[in-house]
Amino acid sequence: TQSKKPKDLTIKNITIWNPEMKQFENPSGIDTVISTLFETQFVWADTDPSDISDFSTTKICGQLLKEAAGGFFEGEQWKRFVNIHGETFNGDGDSLCKRTKSIENEIETILHEQYGKANIRFNFPIPDTSTFFKAGDITVNDGVETPLDDKGTGLQRAIALAMIQVYANALAKHESDAKKSKPIFFFIDEPEICLHPKAQKQLLKALIKLSDFRQIFICTHSPYLLRDFKAKIHGLFIFKRITTDNVGITRSPELNLFAWSPSWGEINYHAYGLPTIEFHDELYGTLQTKYISDTADNRIDNFDKNFLANKDVSKQTKLWSRLKHGQQEPASPVTLSTYIRNKVHHPESMGNSEFTGQELADSIDFLISHLKN
């Protein structure tokens, strides 16, 4: 409720916390005030194509055109256009002003009779340079040339993201100017839609380059866009719906467990809550390598008992039966982690039951705790 009236607030509204009313509000004119401090560029998953082809100077396309124009509006070509425009609309020859003179005279006659003497004149000044951009549009020929608005959403998004990449290159060419200009924040919703994994990789390179000059926020479900995550310069926030009206937000700095981080296993587990045997293998192998380096002992049973169980045999909660010379040997106690490792690496040992998804997740957490210690 604002000014005693109900008001819908969406993500597209700039809202300010009102401590007296204890609610977020969208005060009149606040958008204008805030826009003097920084600009925002949104590319939604369902972006309106008109936003992509908008040539206004506050949009990406308009800024690219402004960049490309450079000093065009001070050059000789523009000066000739200004002169021709003046002759065409306001000149002494067969100009538009000459053709509207009769209308001016009729209006002046009526004014003289009903109001008093007054002279009027229709004037046709040259439009502001930004008007030429706003009046433009984009046509695309993908076999049939039509306006961008008539193309599919996949092509529309591809063009929008291509513009961002070109914009990144333009900023890189003028680094000093980019750092002095008003900040622009980019909000890109699921950029992976309609993009091949290789194209996602190329897009990510452009976004990383752009992040040298501009702050970028990406909402994604694609592991390919997290492949180059670097904890020192990137932030990863995980959103999880708890109830219909409650979303939990956690920050995950854990995509750096290995020298080759982030791995696919890390991404899928920490970003998407998906435990995989590949991630389990990476963790187990890293810890075993450390154990072998410290002890020169490469026996799995000793690694399980002396390192994973940490001299606490109560952690050896599973029984593993090895197949040797075609015969199933008596089962021996092992930790859950070694049981899963053996089950994956030795599928020929059919006498052991399958592990569950929850056991895989529990073992991964157990191995991570060892790796951090």
Side-chain angles (χ1 to χ4, degrees), residues 204 208 224-237 251-256 261-262 267:
L204 182 60
I208 290 175
Y224 295 99
L225 291 177
L226 294 174
R227 191 63 184 89
D228 288 334
F229 173 82
K230 295 177 176 58
K232 291 184 179 180
I233 59 175
H234 301 151
L236 176 63
F237 295 85
R251 179 162 187 163
S252 177
E254 299 188 58
L255 297 184
N256 56 357
S261 291
I267 292 170

Side-chain angles (χ1 to χ4, degrees), residues 211-223:
S211 70
D212 289 339
F213 312 100
R214 301 289 185 254
Q215 179 71 63
I216 302 176
F217 297 85
I218 301 174
C219 176
T220 181
H221 291 92
S222 171

Side-chain angles (χ1 to χ4, degrees), residues 258-278:
F258 314 114
W260 58 90
S261 291
S263 68
W264 292 115
E266 283 179 285
I267 292 170
N268 285 316
Y269 189 66
H270 289 299
Y272 306 123
L274 180 65
T276 62
I277 58 175
E278 290 82 7

Side-chain angles (χ1 to χ4, degrees), residues 53-57 129-137:
S53 56
D54 192 334
F55 287 8
S56 67
T57 54
T129 55
S130 63
T131 303
F132 292 94
F133 287 145
K134 293 178 182 178
D137 61 15

Side-chain angles (χ1 to χ4, degrees), residues 8-275:
D8 292 331
L9 297 179
T10 69
I11 193 172
K12 295 184 179 181
N13 298 124
I14 295 177
T15 57
I16 305 295
W17 177 253
N18 184 334
E20 294 183 0
M21 301 299 294
K22 298 187 182 305
Q23 66 178 11
F24 284 97
E25 297 179 353
N26 178 237
S28 177
I30 194 64
D31 301 61
T32 303
V33 174
I34 292 180
S35 65
T36 62
L37 303 176
F38 61 87
E39 295 179 11
T40 57
Q41 293 286 347
F42 289 89
V43 180
W44 303 100
D46 56 350
T47 291
D48 187 331
S50 63
D51 290 339
I52 300 172
S53 56
D54 192 334
F55 287 8
S56 67
T57 54
T58 60
K59 302 294 184 179
I60 296 175
C61 190
Q63 293 186 21
L64 284 175
L65 292 174
K66 183 179 178 181
E67 171 73 20
F72 174 78
F73 294 108
E74 287 81 39
E76 290 301 319
Q77 184 79 3
W78 177 255
K79 291 177 182 178
R80 287 197 298 270
F81 173 77
V82 171
N83 292 332
I84 293 173
H85 181 280
E87 294 174 6
T88 303
F89 288 88
N90 303 301
D92 296 330
D94 185 20
S95 65
L96 188 57
C97 277
K98 286 286 186 180
R99 295 197 175 204
T100 58
K101 187 62 179 178
S102 59
I103 299 176
E104 294 175 359
N105 293 336
E106 289 185 42
I107 295 174
E108 288 178 358
T109 299
I110 295 174
L111 281 175
H112 181 72
E113 294 173 352
Q114 299 178 2
Y115 179 79
K117 188 174 181 179
N119 296 323
I120 70 165
R121 179 170 63 89
F122 291 127
N123 186 36
F124 301 96
I126 191 165
D128 182 81
T129 55
S130 63
T131 303
F132 292 94
F133 287 145
K134 293 178 182 178
D137 61 15
I138 298 175
T139 60
V140 182
N141 190 338
D142 55 350
V144 178
E145 187 173 61
T146 60
L148 178 61
D149 293 13
D150 296 337
K151 299 301 182 183
T153 55
L155 180 56
Q156 292 169 7
R157 281 180 58 83
I159 290 176
L161 296 173
M163 286 183 182
I164 291 178
Q165 294 175 67
V166 174
Y167 182 68
N169 292 330
L171 286 179
K173 292 178 182 177
H174 307 285
E175 179 178 348
S176 59
D177 293 338
K179 291 180 178 179
K180 294 176 184 177
S181 61
K182 182 167 61 173
I184 301 176
F185 295 89
F186 288 88
F187 297 84
I188 306 175
D189 186 21
E190 301 195 43
E192 67 270 17
I193 293 178
C194 302
L195 286 182
H196 186 279
K198 288 184 178 179
Q200 293 183 40
K201 186 176 181 179
Q202 291 303 115
L203 172 63
L204 182 60
K205 287 182 179 179
L207 294 177
I208 290 175
K209 182 190 296 185
L210 183 57
S211 70
D212 289 339
F213 312 100
R214 301 289 185 254
Q215 179 71 63
I216 302 176
F217 297 85
I218 301 174
C219 176
T220 181
H221 291 92
S222 171
Y224 295 99
L225 291 177
L226 294 174
R227 191 63 184 89
D228 288 334
F229 173 82
K230 295 177 176 58
K232 291 184 179 180
I233 59 175
H234 301 151
L236 176 63
F237 295 85
I238 310 222
F239 291 72
K240 182 177 181 181
R241 186 172 297 282
I242 300 174
T243 64
T244 303
D245 301 318
N246 188 9
V247 176
I249 305 174
T250 57
R251 179 162 187 163
S252 177
E254 299 188 58
L255 297 184
N256 56 357
L257 292 173
F258 314 114
W260 58 90
S261 291
S263 68
W264 292 115
E266 283 179 285
I267 292 170
N268 285 316
Y269 189 66
H270 289 299
Y272 306 123
L274 180 65

